Amino acid sequence: ARRLVARARERGVVLVPLVGSPSAWPAEARQRVRVEGGSWPGLGVGHGLLAPRAPKIRVVSHGTRERVGVLAG
């Protein structure tokens, strides 16, 4: 993981590991992003139209306080 993180930093890209728990990723993250509220309004049992979704986004950076926002759909 360290080599991958170093390579990403070199190239100016962002890694988004999709793992079950934060401790499953072996490298230290500068920021942690959590998405909450995954319901899709409008979807019935096997039918319906999906309405826009507005999940809550939490971002935590080292040494700063948590920022929370809602994505508007």
Side-chain angles (χ1 to χ4, degrees), residues 19-33:
V19 294
S21 70
S23 63
W25 178 249
E28 184 62 33
R30 288 187 181 183
Q31 292 186 325
R32 296 208 180 265
V33 179

Side-chain angles (χ1 to χ4, degrees), residues 30-71:
R30 288 187 181 183
Q31 292 186 325
R32 296 208 180 265
V33 179
R34 171 179 275 152
V35 179
E36 300 171 346
S39 66
W40 290 93
L43 187 61
V45 181
H47 61 82
L49 296 173
L50 292 176
R53 171 181 162 181
K56 187 182 291 184
I57 310 296
R58 295 180 179 277
V59 178
V60 180
S61 300
H62 286 302
T64 63
R65 65 186 192 92
E66 180 179 55
R67 293 176 291 174
V68 179
V70 175
L71 279 180

